[in-house]
Structures are given as C-alpha cells and as structure tokens.
Amino acid sequence: RGARRAGTAGATAKVILGLQAAGANGRCGAGVDLLARLNRFRRGGRYGRTAFDQALAVLALRSIGHRVPSAARRVLLRSRGRGGWSFTLSGARRDDVGSTGLVLQALRASGVSRRHGTLRAGLRWLRAQRAAGGGFGQERRDRNEANPTAIALLAQRAMGVRDTRAVRALRALQRSGGAFQFTATDAGSRVLATIDAVLALSGRSQPVNARRSPARGC
C-alpha cells in the first residue's frame, strides 16, 4: 500500500530503503517498479524539492545497488550553506542538523571520501550544534531531540566518528515500554523517534542491507 501511495521522491525512497532493510527486493513493492517511480521525480541531478528528497533518493539508489548519478552528488556538494545544509538546499532556510546529517550520510554512501573538504566542513558545523545535554536539536541547542540526535549519530558514524555523549543522550529518551520519545518532556511521534533511534543505536549505517549488484524490477 505504501508503495502505491508514495507521492514524493523522499516517500518513494523511504519505501525502497524499508523494503531493502527488511530483506525484500527494495526495487519492487506491491507490483510497483519503485526505481522507475523515483526517477520520475528527477530533474537533472535533483530529486524532488528538499534535502530529505535528495539525500533519501541517493541512499535508496545505493540500497538497491544502482549507480548514483554524478549530477546528484554535485547538487549536494554545491548546496552546502554557511556551515551545513538546509531543508531547501538553498539560502532560503537556515542550515539544520537533520538536513546536514542526512546529506552527509548520502554523500558517504555515494562514494565521496570522508576526507573531502565539503564533508569535513559540514561535520564540523554539525558537531558544533550539540545541545547542552549532549544530544542535538533540529534548530535549537537548549534540549535533546531524538530524531536529530539519531541522524547526527548516523552521520558521524558515516564519517568515522564515535559520539558517546550523543548515544547517552538518545538512550535517556527511551521509556520503560521500549519506545523513544521526541524530548524528555514532549512525546512527539514515538513511532518516528523510535525508528530513528533504533537504527542509530544499532551500530548499522544507512543504507541497511545494500545490494552489490542492481536489484531487478517487478
């Protein structure tokens, strides 16, 4: 059902990544050729409209063993703002932790070296956004937020950096039932917080269960 309803590049990429992580054929969901659908959102090197669309699309391509177009990498490398990346991949919005973390993961997954100057500068900016509690917030530094903390952990792992302070901060947001909540005082979407946190704390990197050879269509 999700495969048929995915209406953006980011949503389509999430379905691909989820299927692949579950051990299924990430290219084919409910009889839909998800690679073909993802490519419908491509205009030159740009997938969709946002950093999440672009970064998730790159990660999805890698998960099913397909080549990432060099133009897609260039879009990400050239759209870094004053420090990290913004949601719109432009100066129209401030750089934020979530966008920066996802872009770093996508660039690393696409084969860009962790020594690349743009990635190193983005990582420095990301780490400078740490909240007082050891974790990260999306656009604030006065509280730990589960989702940006998880994304920051995954980005740092992709760059070969361990962050035990952020790990402790993220684990502190887990409640007795097992779910994670958005902040210490705001449950937010426990489903989304838990999905992000479990992957970040698992020691795995995105994309999970990536193929070496291209996945076949439906």
Side-chain angles (χ1 to χ4, degrees):
R1 184 180 300 176
R4 293 187 182 279
R5 293 184 177 179
T8 65
T12 303
K14 282 184 177 181
V15 175
I16 293 172
L17 288 164
L19 287 170
Q20 199 63 40
N25 179 359
R27 180 171 174 176
C28 183
V32 177
D33 187 330
L34 293 167
L35 175 62
R37 172 167 291 188
L38 182 62
N39 282 330
R40 291 177 196 164
F41 298 102
R42 181 184 171 190
R43 299 293 182 272
R46 187 75 183 252
Y47 289 86
R49 299 181 177 182
T50 71
F52 279 61
D53 285 332
Q54 185 78 7
L56 289 169
V58 169
L59 288 167
L61 290 171
R62 291 301 307 128
S63 76
I64 56 175
H66 280 259
R67 184 183 64 84
V68 175
S70 57
R73 282 194 296 271
R74 285 197 297 271
V75 165
L76 292 176
L77 287 168
R78 293 175 179 176
S79 59
R80 185 172 69 87
R82 294 185 177 182
W85 283 263
S86 72
F87 182 70
T88 56
L89 295 179
S90 72
R93 293 273 293 270
R94 291 190 303 172
D95 301 341
D96 65 78
V97 169
S99 300
T100 300
L102 269 178
V103 169
L104 287 172
Q105 291 177 68
L107 286 169
R108 286 290 297 126
S110 71
V112 179
S113 170
R114 64 182 60 164
R115 298 184 179 88
H116 193 288
T118 298
L119 274 66
R120 290 172 67 86
L123 178 64
R124 284 195 300 272
W125 180 87
L126 177 71
R127 288 173 63 82
Q129 309 314 305
R130 187 186 304 278
F136 294 84
Q138 178 68 348
E139 293 184 349
R140 53 193 295 178
R141 297 170 65 182
D142 61 334
R143 66 182 188 181
N144 298 323
E145 298 174 356
N147 307 81
T149 299
I151 292 172
L153 277 168
L154 287 163
Q156 291 179 89
R157 184 176 300 141
M159 291 292 289
V161 176
R162 297 180 62 186
D163 188 344
T164 55
R165 290 181 64 194
V167 167
R168 288 195 298 268
L170 184 56
R171 285 177 173 163
L173 296 176
Q174 187 174 26
R175 296 301 175 250
S176 58
F180 290 77
Q181 59 183 48
F182 181 52
T183 72
T185 58
D186 179 2
S189 172
R190 291 191 172 187
V191 172
L192 294 178
T194 301
I195 290 170
D196 286 346
V198 167
L199 177 57
L201 295 174
S202 71
R204 306 288 293 275
S205 296
Q206 291 234 63
V208 177
N209 293 336
R211 294 177 58 96
R212 295 185 176 181
S213 56
R216 295 182 179 179
C218 300

